Amino acid sequence: MDLLRTRAALSRMFEPSDNVGLALVEAAGPHDALRVATGAVRAGGQLTREVGEVLAAAGISAPGNILSSALERWSPRIADLAPDRDLAMMGRAGGELLIPEDSRWPEALRDLELGMPLCLWARGDLSRGVPALHQTAAVVGSRDSTGYGASATGDIAAGLVTRGWTVVSGGAYGIDAQAHRAALAAGNPARIPTIAVMACGVDRYYPAGNEDLLREVVRRGLLLSEVPPGSSPTRWRFLQRNRIIAALSAVTVVVEARWRSGALNTAHHAAALGREVGAVPGSVYSANSAGCHRLLRDGSAVCVTDAAEVAELGGPIDSSDDTASGARGESRAVHDGLTIEDMLLLDALPLRSGSPVEKLASVAGLSVPSVRAGLARLELEDLAARDGPDKWRRSRR
């Protein structure tokens, strides 16, 4: 059996993030792992030990009978394995199966280590592959979003796409749907504007109310899932797909989230991977923003308010981008970037007639040497000017 069919079968055999199954694949390779999982080959003591070592290396407790227990758990699914059927179904839907051995496999997923999915069932234009990590940002949040959340999401998602980013989300109602919708509206035909990572098979449009939106995602973006065609969404699959959203994205932004929102799960996955996390602040009276405020209070996220701040958080600043303060209609204040001592000295400088160093020291509450050093710095910034022998005033710029 070739690798494509093998991994297709394994994706139906194992639930997402089945650590024992993933450890078996790592220890024995995909082909032998499938033979062991289906009972075609008996797992010997050496393989059992190797699976335990893989799990232990990932920090997962592995009792001696863990593989035997897993084999019992997988046994009921053996009769339903039909990789040729699944691949044919995917082909009829205009999709295909991506596997880690494919050159188009998103390398960012390897950061998940043992948690990397066995494969990705995909629909959409894969001719350019999945966008690179530095070009992707996740925008997630509550299903019951408010008007404020929808507006903030639309601005952020559209702003990211116009900067050349791809917006990743989960295809759900609320913030997810608004992120996809805004990304598509601002999309450039030369780029993939948005990716939806599903908790069900990509042959299904779930939730049904988002069918038209998800069809458009397939037409112009990408629909991805680690579970095979026909799979139903479950709570476990929803939680596990969040790790894929986080791994694909350089930065994860939570726009609105309740205290125990699933969007926080995505943020926690991102933080565990060393990815950047941003949170949009909301009203202190809004339950929909309680989760965002929790992330900010815990120091798990950085406060972001627009696409420019998200792009800055997720990657290097592009000098050609409009993230500079002037692009937001704000001029740079004269005290921006100054130390506290230099700000005190600047406030002490008279506007018209010059003042001697000793008097400046008294007004600013600084020592004379500190004033002399500060005046040199302010003069370089064109904020202070000499006004006669040893007298200084503010620059007239």
Side-chain angles (χ1 to χ4, degrees):
M1 186 179 290
D2 60 39
L3 271 173
L4 210 63
R5 294 169 66 217
T6 298
R7 287 192 176 272
L10 288 169
S11 76
R12 188 167 288 283
M13 175 73 81
F14 303 150
E15 276 295 309
S17 290
D18 185 326
N19 291 320
V20 181
L22 294 170
L24 177 61
V25 172
E26 184 170 328
H31 293 306
D32 286 343
L34 181 60
R35 295 172 69 200
V36 170
T38 56
V41 173
R42 182 177 176 277
Q46 177 63 25
L47 179 58
T48 301
R49 284 191 295 273
E50 290 176 2
V51 170
E53 289 169 1
V54 172
L55 290 169
I60 300 168
S61 176
N65 64 343
I66 194 167
L67 187 53
S68 300
S69 300
L71 289 169
E72 291 180 15
R73 185 172 73 245
W74 300 329
S75 179
R77 292 191 171 183
I78 296 175
D80 194 39
L81 295 184
D84 290 328
R85 175 201 65 196
D86 291 339
L87 289 167
M89 188 185 304
M90 195 79 276
R92 288 193 297 272
E96 59 182 301
L97 182 64
L98 266 182
I99 59 176
E101 294 80 8
D102 191 317
S103 61
R104 298 169 299 170
W105 182 259
E107 291 299 308
L109 291 181
R110 298 191 191 277
D111 290 345
L112 289 168
E113 299 178 342
L114 185 60
M116 184 178 76
L118 292 162
C119 57
L120 286 175
W121 299 87
R123 292 178 68 186
D125 182 9
L126 273 171
S127 61
R128 292 161 291 182
V130 180
L133 178 65
H134 70 275
Q135 296 175 310
T136 55
V139 180
V140 296
S142 294
R143 286 171 173 77
D144 60 336
S145 58
T146 66
Y148 163 78
S151 179
T153 300
D155 289 346
I156 289 172
L160 286 169
V161 170
T162 58
R163 287 168 168 78
W165 290 64
T166 294
V167 171
V168 184
S169 200
Y173 290 131
I175 297 299
D176 287 19
Q178 182 66 4
H180 293 306
R181 199 173 289 116
L184 289 166
N188 183 330
R191 295 180 179 271
I192 294 176
T194 190
I195 298 172
V197 183
M198 309 298 288
C200 59
V202 293
D203 58 318
R204 303 181 57 173
Y205 294 116
Y206 182 89
N210 281 348
E211 179 174 346
D212 290 343
L213 172 62
L214 294 172
R215 285 185 182 275
E216 190 65 12
V217 171
V218 170
R219 192 176 74 84
R220 296 173 53 200
L222 285 175
L223 209 63
L224 303 176
S225 177
E226 65 181 314
V227 296
S231 298
S232 301
T234 64
R235 178 170 176 78
W236 174 256
R237 291 170 181 173
F238 273 114
L239 289 173
Q240 293 309 306
R241 69 88 190 266
N242 290 342
R243 81 190 194 287
I244 299 177
I245 294 174
L248 287 174
S249 309
V251 56
T252 293
V253 180
V254 183
V255 180
E256 277 189 324
R258 289 179 175 270
W259 188 257
R260 296 187 181 277
S261 169
L264 301 184
N265 178 257
T266 309
H268 295 150
H269 279 299
L273 288 166
R275 306 282 199 262
E276 299 293 345
V277 179
V280 176
S283 168
V284 296
Y285 302 108
S286 173
N288 280 58
S289 291
C292 294
H293 298 157
R294 177 182 177 184
L295 290 173
L296 293 170
R297 186 188 65 195
D298 294 346
S300 305
V302 174
C303 178
V304 292
T305 60
D306 58 22
E309 292 176 352
V310 175
E312 181 180 340
L313 182 63
I317 300 173
D318 182 353
S319 60
S320 65
D321 197 2
D322 63 354
T323 56
S325 59
R328 304 187 197 183
E330 299 176 6
S331 60
R332 184 177 184 272
V334 295
H335 58 266
D336 285 352
L338 297 183
T339 65
I340 294 176
E341 285 193 354
D342 287 356
M343 288 175 64
L344 291 171
L345 180 55
L346 182 63
D347 288 341
L349 285 170
L351 293 171
R352 295 180 178 81
S353 59
S355 182
V357 171
E358 290 75 12
K359 184 175 181 181
L360 290 173
S362 174
V363 174
L366 302 171
S367 67
V368 170
S370 295
V371 169
R372 292 193 185 280
L375 287 170
R377 290 190 294 268
L378 293 178
E379 187 177 26
L380 286 173
E381 294 289 333
D382 195 24
L383 295 174
R386 295 179 184 273
D387 188 34
D390 209 26
K391 288 188 177 182
W392 295 80
R393 57 168 174 77
R394 282 202 187 197
S395 170
R396 299 188 188 280
R397 77 168 190 176

